[in-house]
């Protein structure tokens, strides 16, 4: 345990608010590490920027404009835990903004294998590039990266958490919220809606991050649907109680609660919670079905053609919201909004 | 077997003409899956575009012009079966046109490993990019990808087959034909020539694709040179008979037929069919020797300096013809021809 | 052993001066293979270009200007021996100049695995790109690549050696010299300084290359600090004697010589030669500490905050000097100097 390990251990014990301070610069979002950093103002900003980017990208001139925004910036995509979907989503978001990308997608290629510490690897990436997007199978590595560059170096670059251990996956939560806002745009937005989350909630970093984000909306209700052994962890439940967000824990079956949901965000490994074509009649006609993929056999492909199944659009939204987030972090979103 | 497997099984049974219809949009080539899609008009078009791209690329101003053509487009190179040559050829063709590239070149990095279906992986790529180039060790996967996006989604992007199983490798055939047309430009073109193909013709997807393409030329003769066990499959022979293209099957030795060929396209694993420096005297002074690489020990490096050995130029033509094909698919080739 | 193996064996026996001739074109550096190619004039040129690039890159307009310099060029990064630091440093140097990059970073992805010879792989890369940067675990492969393209093909592209076997790593030496020149800019430059190199000097290609480079400076002294078994090889010592460069061999302990050094360039696997915080008092206040990374446990992270520890700046200099080298090879450095 070196001196940095000790210092980080201290940082890691801090309250969430104090950590958020470390990830903030000049009063603005600098690193994107945990969902709790996102307040309603930022969420609405990202929503607006995302819509704008989607609209601008419909023409060649618009695409060329977007590419000019950050074409002078270089990005490091450090995916020590492989993931083609999240990787490609981020990489193409960078390409949309004209950024030049470098990548490590295979731990065996990495210096870490040659005896380099995580800290030194991260400092190296920060020597060469202007932004680091990191995915790691171990907990808290994105947090450590941001802490390290912000407090131990004099040339920090922003860090975006692309999924770190089982803790959080804030940009997935961000794209989920965008998809919810967009889908309910003509029904008063996300406020007042009932969101059902099903699957392995215990280890699901996406549903954890999404739960944190929902505190930014009014009168939202959550239904956690999973067998007892896979139910949501105590820390998130406490958070919801503290912020007076009503939630219901359902451990028996999808059937009991399917008709109550305005939106279903799913990911389950247990056959009892699998979505079959026959379930579709029990779901509200106006409800939407989301899924972070891969779906394995959790959602029958026959459901894809149902208009309530919006997971493919949701996936594509991932690219747009990530482009919006990057533009926001680099403070060039006004250029986009004014185009 | 899910519902898509069943639907694709039906599609797969259709006659070639009906399949080609699925890969066509507004009367134009949309996907490039099988050689049979290429008629003489398209081949001559590609020939002209390729020549133009080669010429334009001789100056910095020309290269910058070419890069502006498709700089607003993003490409996915999905090489589930690794191949550095074909990969690099396509990637640099994309770079020539200014496209931004994403890649999967290692099946282990892929989502398919994490339990994602091929169909879902392909839909994901189509969510993020404007073109998918696919290479797969299993048969018919490029066909399935194009069918899937064209018939089961409302946002298809073009698919280019970069080699799928032992069936076809149409862009290799396309570069072979370009090389033949170019090499015989002062001798009346490819019409009337005798093309000898040697090597493992049974599993050689290149020679299969090339055979289909040759029906677009007048008075072409084919000599298939391989031991009986590696000879050309019945389906291709039937195709040639139907289109009245004369072909000769040689199972004994190269020697018997070497002197008859205007062009030799080789790839053989059997020592009897290996090209040695001593064979060069038996080959016509005006003949050309082609090879798709890797050559292993099939062609002695001493032959490289013989002016008839054009395989290195042929390899480079691969990059140019692929750039021409992509420009043609995106219907921006007129810009290039008018430069 | 084919005919090329024989020819290269002959070339490999030539005197260094004759080899350098082969890597030169129109009196200018064409390939960058060994440190001995770099004379004082080139070194000073690279120093000036690097400073200029660093300065220009401070603004968006400057970065866009730099990207326009070589945006029409394509590069192959062939890293048969993985190395994330050197790879990323080169890749970002290319991105700074606007070049489009292709890569092989994993030998298993490579054609070499599929039975392709090194020579054919290199010719393939030269078919598609305008520059090849190569790193290989075997000795002399960069030399062979440059020889092959320059003498056996009619379309050579420049080769840059990114580390080949235990022989040389010239661009690492180049960035070391830049860092020394830059650090001593206000103290009369590198001339007259004492450079201590420690670690595994026997197999350390960096220290070998750096030793060759130092002959270009006046009154430089070298101290080699390593246990006998890891001491500098005879060939380099002979070179130094021939050029009358004084060097001292220290096999006992760091302590004996620490106070004599103006600069310490380290890399050692033996605990006796490890740099601890307590050693810092013995090092001159004006001295600098360099390290090529990874550091493993050779330098305590507590030393990072000491102003004499410049290895992070040195690492970043790697990217800038490599960009300068590439600009110099392509003869576009005047554009940069005149910006």
């Amino acid at each position: 345990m070196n001196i940095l390990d000790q210092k980080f251990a201290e940082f890691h014990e801090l309250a969430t608010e104090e950590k958020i301070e470390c990830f903030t610069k000049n009063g603005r979002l600098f690193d994107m590490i945990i969902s709790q950093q996102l307040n309603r103002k930022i969420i609405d900003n990202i929503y607006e920027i995302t819509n704008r980017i989607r609209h601008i990208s419909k023409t060649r001139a618009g695409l060329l404009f977007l590419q000019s925004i950050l074409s002078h910036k270089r990005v490091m995509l450090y995916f020590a835990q492989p993931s083609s979907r999240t990787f490609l989503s981020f990489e193409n978001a960078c390409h949309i903004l004209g950024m030049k990308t470098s990548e490590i997608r295979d731990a065996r290629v990495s210096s870490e294998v040659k005896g380099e510490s995580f800290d030194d690897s991260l400092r190296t990436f920060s020597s060469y590039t202007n932004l680091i997007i990191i995915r790691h199978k171990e907990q808290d590595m994105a947090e450590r990266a941001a802490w390290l560059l912000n407090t131990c170096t004099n040339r920090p670059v922003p860090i975006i958490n692309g999924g770190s251990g089982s803790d959080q996956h804030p940009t997935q939560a961000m794209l989920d919220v965008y998809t919810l806002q967009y889908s309910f745009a003509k029904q008063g937005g996300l406020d007042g809606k009932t969101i059902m989350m099903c699957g392995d909630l215990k280890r699901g970093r996406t549903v954890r991050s999404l739960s944190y984000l929902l505190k930014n909306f009014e009168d939202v209700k959550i239904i956690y649907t999973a067998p007892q052994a896979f139910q949501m962890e105590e820390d998130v439940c406490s958070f919801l109680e503290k912020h007076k967000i009503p939630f219901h824990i359902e451990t028996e079956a999808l059937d009991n609660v399917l008709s109550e949901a305005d939106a279903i965000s799913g990911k389950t490994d247990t056959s009892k919670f699998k979505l079959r074509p026959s379930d579709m009649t029990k779901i509200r006609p106006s409800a939407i079905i989301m899924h972070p993929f891969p779906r394995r056999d959790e959602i029958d492909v026959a459901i894809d053609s149902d208009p309530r199944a919006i997971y493919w659009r949701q996936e594509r939204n991932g690219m747009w919201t990530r482009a919006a987030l990057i533009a926001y972090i680099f403070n060039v979103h006004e250029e986009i909004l004014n185009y």
Side-chain angles (χ1 to χ4, degrees), chain A residues 43-58 66 178-179 181-183 185 317 320-321 324 336-337:
Chain A
I43 291 169
D44 286 346
N45 242 314
I46 298 285
Y47 179 69
E48 211 187 339
I49 304 164
T50 306
N51 280 339
R52 204 76 198 107
I53 289 176
R54 284 180 60 180
H55 184 75
I56 292 171
S57 73
K58 289 187 198 306
L66 289 172
Y178 172 82
T179 302
Q181 289 179 294
Y182 181 84
S183 300
N317 287 341
W320 301 123
T321 52
I336 293 171
L337 294 175

Side-chain angles (χ1 to χ4, degrees), chain A residues 313-329:
Chain A
R313 217 177 309 153
Q314 174 195 8
E315 183 188 59
R316 191 160 153 84
N317 287 341
M319 176 176 70
W320 301 123
T321 52
R322 282 164 177 139
L325 171 66
I326 294 169
Y328 183 78
I329 285 176

Side-chain angles (χ1 to χ4, degrees), chain A residues 56-161:
Chain A
I56 292 171
S57 73
K58 289 187 198 306
T59 68
R60 180 173 173 174
L63 284 163
L64 294 176
F65 161 75
L66 289 172
Q67 278 185 19
S68 74
I69 293 286
L70 290 175
S71 63
H72 57 305
K73 297 288 183 187
R74 301 182 303 278
V75 186
M76 179 68 204
L77 292 149
Y78 179 49
F79 275 56
Q81 180 187 40
S83 160
S84 26
R85 188 181 332 277
T86 307
F87 178 87
L88 293 170
S89 175
F90 269 116
E91 184 176 48
N92 281 283
C94 293
H95 287 168
I96 285 169
L97 298 171
M99 305 178 95
K100 312 299 177 274
T101 54
S102 292
E103 61 175 74
I104 291 182
R105 263 197 279 179
D106 182 344
R108 279 156 314 150
V109 171
S110 159
S111 284
E112 279 192 76
V113 173
K114 290 170 68 186
E116 175 129 303
S117 70
F118 174 82
D119 294 342
D120 281 3
S121 293
L122 262 289
R123 288 197 70 160
T124 296
F125 306 151
S126 77
S127 290
Y128 301 145
T129 63
N130 308 109
L131 169 67
I132 301 169
I133 299 164
I134 178 175
R135 187 182 183 93
H136 211 283
K137 68 176 182 300
E138 281 173 48
Q139 202 104 351
D140 306 320
M141 295 314 259
E143 183 178 313
R144 176 152 186 161
W147 166 81
L148 175 82
L149 297 185
N150 288 333
T151 66
C152 307
T153 77
N154 49 22
R155 216 191 135 271
V157 303
I159 303 283
I160 295 178
N161 182 359

Side-chain angles (χ1 to χ4, degrees), chain A residues 207-224:
Chain A
V207 286
R208 289 175 60 83
S209 287
L210 180 56
S211 299
Y212 285 124
L213 263 197
L214 289 177
K215 86 137 214 252
N216 291 291
F217 295 87
E218 306 290 321
D219 300 321
V220 162
K221 289 182 200 67
I222 301 178
I223 304 170
Y224 291 127

Side-chain angles (χ1 to χ4, degrees), chain A residues 132-312:
Chain A
I132 301 169
I133 299 164
I134 178 175
R135 187 182 183 93
H136 211 283
K137 68 176 182 300
E138 281 173 48
Q139 202 104 351
D140 306 320
M141 295 314 259
E143 183 178 313
R144 176 152 186 161
W147 166 81
L148 175 82
L149 297 185
N150 288 333
T151 66
C152 307
T153 77
N154 49 22
R155 216 191 135 271
V157 303
I159 303 283
I160 295 178
N161 182 359
S164 180
S166 59
D167 191 33
Q168 285 226 9
H169 194 354
T171 63
Q172 177 75 36
M174 189 180 276
L175 79 89
D176 287 350
V177 160
Y178 172 82
T179 302
L180 289 162
Q181 289 179 294
Y182 181 84
S183 300
F184 295 129
K186 291 180 180 162
Q187 296 147 65
L190 176 45
D191 299 309
K193 299 296 181 294
T194 297
I195 315 301
M196 179 174 127
M197 305 185 197
C198 54
D200 183 348
L201 307 174
K202 197 181 191 68
R203 290 170 301 181
R205 50 193 178 192
T206 303
V207 286
R208 289 175 60 83
S209 287
L210 180 56
S211 299
Y212 285 124
L213 263 197
L214 289 177
K215 86 137 214 252
N216 291 291
F217 295 87
E218 306 290 321
D219 300 321
V220 162
K221 289 182 200 67
I222 301 178
I223 304 170
Y224 291 127
T225 313
Q228 193 59 55
F230 297 98
Q231 268 296 346
M232 182 53 75
E233 291 273 23
E234 185 48 34
D235 57 346
V236 171
C237 295
S238 301
F239 174 90
L240 297 175
E241 279 163 5
K242 187 179 150 198
H243 289 91
K244 303 202 164 46
I245 301 162
F247 64 97
H248 171 73
I249 288 178
E250 172 61 47
T251 57
E252 290 307 314
L254 272 180
D255 273 21
N256 302 354
V257 285
L258 266 184
S259 65
E260 295 172 31
D262 292 305
I264 298 165
S265 177
K267 176 115 215 62
T268 169
D269 291 330
T270 58
S271 58
K272 197 161 62 165
F273 291 87
K274 204 171 128 174
L275 210 57
R276 293 149 306 185
S278 58
D279 291 320
M280 296 305 283
T281 55
K282 300 169 202 153
I283 298 173
R284 293 184 183 183
S286 63
I288 57 171
I289 301 163
M290 296 163 65
H291 197 283
F293 288 106
R295 61 168 139 185
R296 295 188 188 90
D297 63 350
E298 297 157 31
I299 294 184
D300 196 299
V301 293
I303 294 177
D304 288 19
S305 52
D306 189 298
R308 290 168 292 181
I310 59 155
Y311 30 82
W312 288 112

Side-chain angles (χ1 to χ4, degrees), chain A residues 10-11 13-24:
Chain A
E10 286 166 31
F11 176 81
E13 290 306 309
L14 294 179
T16 302
E17 288 68 29
E18 290 178 272
K19 289 185 186 180
I20 289 175
E21 193 56 41
C22 171
F23 308 144
T24 304

